Each structure stands twice: as C-alpha cells, then as structure tokens.
Amino acid sequence: MAVNTSTYSAPPFNRFQHRRSTIAFISRPSSRLICYTGARIVSVHSQKPGSERSAIVSEAAAPSKSSSSSTASAIDFLTLCHSLKTTKRKGWINHGIKGPESIADHMYRMALMALIAGDLPAVNRERCIKIAIVHDIAEAIVGDITPSDGVPKEEKSRREQAALTEMCKILGGGMRAEEIQELWEEYENNASLEANLVKDFDKVEMILQALEYEMEHGKELDEFFLSTAGKFQTEIGKSWAAEINSRRNARLAEKPN
C-alpha cells in the first residue's frame, strides 16, 4: 500500500496540547490497517487504484519538550509499528503459504544474523543490528511492495521515504528519529560495509525461510533462490547462502522422482 501524495501532509503536531489519545479507524475492503496520530484525517490507498480509506485520529498527544509528551510520542510510534507484526510478507502469500511470516518476523531474524555473525574488520556489529531492525520499518505504512506489484524501484523508494519521514515526525523528531532516518538511508543506498552485510542478510533470511517453507508445505520455491543467485556482496553472505543451497540441493536429490 502507498501513501496518497495528493492528500498526504505532515501532521501539525505542535498545535496540540497534551491530551488523552483517542484513536479510531475507518477502513474499506482490501485496505490495510494504518494508525496515525494527530487531529486530522489522512487518506491512503492500496496498490489497486480506487481502493481508499481514511484513518481518523483525534485528540492525540503532541510531541514537546515535556516528559509526558515524549512518552506519548513513543507510544504513538510503537502503535504504528504494530502493523509490522501483523502484515504478512506478500511473496509467501503469492505462493500460497498459509500463515506466513510477518515483516517483523523477517527483520527479527536478520537482527539475529547480525548478532551471531563472525567478526569482520571495520564492521560495526551494533550498527548492523540497528539497520536490520529498521530497514523495512517504512512498510508499517506502505506495506510489503514486491516485484510482482510492478512498482518501479524509484517509486517504491519514494513512497518508503515519505512514510519514514512521517514516522519520524510521529516519534517527535530528535536524535532517535534522526538515527532511524540515517540507518534507513544507509541501507537503502547500500552506503557502507554494514549496509552491504545487512543487504546480504535480507537475501539469506529470505532463502532460508523459503527452504523452511518448502520442507513444511511440500512446495518448490525456486523463484527465491534464482532471484538471489550471484547477488551476495560479502563473504559471510556468500558462505551462508551456499550452506542453505547445499542443504536444499541435498533435500531435492533425496526426493523421489
């Protein structure tokens, strides 16, 4: 799902005094649930033209220098991120996987990969973990856009950047919001050794999940292995991918014809 730029506007948070947050939603069929804060109505649409709905959020706490407002902004942000836990990864849905992983599931195991990976010269492990946690965070608003959706890479990036900017405003700005923005852009631009490694973890996690779904559901998910072949940038990524492919090949060889 993408933000409708014709109606999209940044929330005027600083106009509001701190009050108890009351959140309500109006949704239409085929629309994903989205939570915004601020006394306003925001229209969003799915990737199917004409599918539209409004999220009404009223009496929200505005970020300020006070501790109570900062706390309210944090909870508003975390509430928005709830959709990362509930939104299922579309690639698996398209292949008929029942009960597939969520976006948050995917990011969590990537963070574990960064945690357990062997030490690499000049690579900041903590930064890798942080990048893994935020690299798909904009999907809390835009959803999981896959190649099958036919959205150009530049447009996908634009939608996600707009969504991330909105999320950082909901968080209230400041150092933490700036850090999230910086980490996301670093990953998006493949701009560091840490980003290179996490890009590899993104692909490794996907093919490992594909192998697991093949074993659980008796399917062959060749597409995911073919789409990542030869695209790993780091030695760890190449090594882990080779191990997963080796296990898959051994399993396929054992299957009766």
Side-chain angles (χ1 to χ4, degrees):
M1 181 172 66
V3 177
N4 185 340
T5 55
S6 64
T7 58
Y8 184 89
S9 61
F13 291 111
N14 56 2
R15 294 190 307 162
F16 301 103
Q17 299 299 319
H18 174 64
R19 290 176 287 179
R20 182 175 60 86
S21 296
T22 304
I23 301 176
F25 297 93
I26 297 176
S27 60
R28 296 180 183 176
S30 75
S31 295
R32 293 173 53 254
L33 181 67
I34 184 171
C35 170
Y36 276 103
T37 56
R40 61 192 178 124
I41 298 177
V42 178
S43 294
V44 295
H45 63 82
S46 70
Q47 290 164 50
K48 295 181 179 179
S51 178
E52 205 173 87
R53 60 88 202 275
S54 298
I56 301 178
V57 184
S58 62
E59 297 189 41
S64 73
K65 293 182 180 180
S66 70
S67 175
S68 60
S69 292
S70 176
T71 298
S73 295
I75 298 305
D76 288 340
F77 176 82
L78 293 172
T79 299
L80 175 56
C81 289
H82 171 75
S83 65
L84 295 170
K85 298 170 63 176
T86 58
T87 303
K88 306 302 182 182
R89 299 251 288 167
K90 192 181 296 180
W92 309 126
I93 294 174
N94 292 344
H95 283 78
I97 300 297
K98 295 181 179 180
E101 65 170 350
S102 69
I103 297 167
D105 293 332
H106 169 66
M107 293 196 293
Y108 174 73
R109 188 154 63 172
M110 285 176 60
L112 286 181
M113 290 176 176
L115 180 64
I116 69 170
D119 291 331
L120 292 173
V123 172
N124 184 324
R125 180 191 306 277
E126 180 181 348
R127 192 165 187 84
C128 288
I129 295 171
K130 289 181 177 181
I131 293 173
I133 290 171
V134 306
H135 83 286
D136 278 343
I137 199 169
E139 293 181 12
I141 292 177
V142 302
D144 183 19
I145 302 173
T146 68
S148 65
D149 296 314
V151 178
K153 183 178 180 180
E154 294 77 12
E155 172 61 12
K156 177 178 182 289
S157 181
R158 185 197 66 77
R159 294 181 189 182
E160 292 180 346
Q161 178 67 75
L164 187 70
T165 299
E166 176 74 358
M167 294 180 76
C168 288
K169 289 176 181 176
I170 289 170
L171 186 56
M175 292 179 59
R176 295 300 175 224
E178 290 172 3
E179 181 181 30
I180 289 172
Q181 184 85 41
E182 180 181 301
L183 291 165
W184 184 87
E185 290 178 355
E186 185 175 326
Y187 177 85
E188 184 72 5
N189 297 321
N190 202 20
S192 66
L193 292 174
E194 289 80 8
N196 296 163
L197 188 58
V198 179
K199 287 274 187 183
D200 277 5
F201 289 156
D202 183 52
K203 298 179 183 69
V204 168
E205 204 287 323
M206 184 177 71
I207 62 172
L208 178 56
Q209 186 64 77
L211 175 59
E212 291 164 348
Y213 283 149
E214 285 185 337
M215 296 171 66
E216 292 171 16
H217 298 278
K219 292 178 176 286
E220 290 190 14
L221 300 169
D222 294 333
E223 172 188 328
F224 299 94
F225 297 91
L226 293 173
S227 67
T228 57
K231 295 184 179 179
F232 295 93
Q233 306 174 81
T234 66
E235 291 306 312
I236 289 179
K238 292 173 183 176
S239 174
W240 287 9
E243 176 66 20
I244 293 167
N245 277 286
S246 175
R247 295 186 183 197
R248 181 178 189 250
N249 292 335
R251 176 178 170 274
L252 293 175
E254 294 174 355
K255 291 182 64 176
N257 295 326

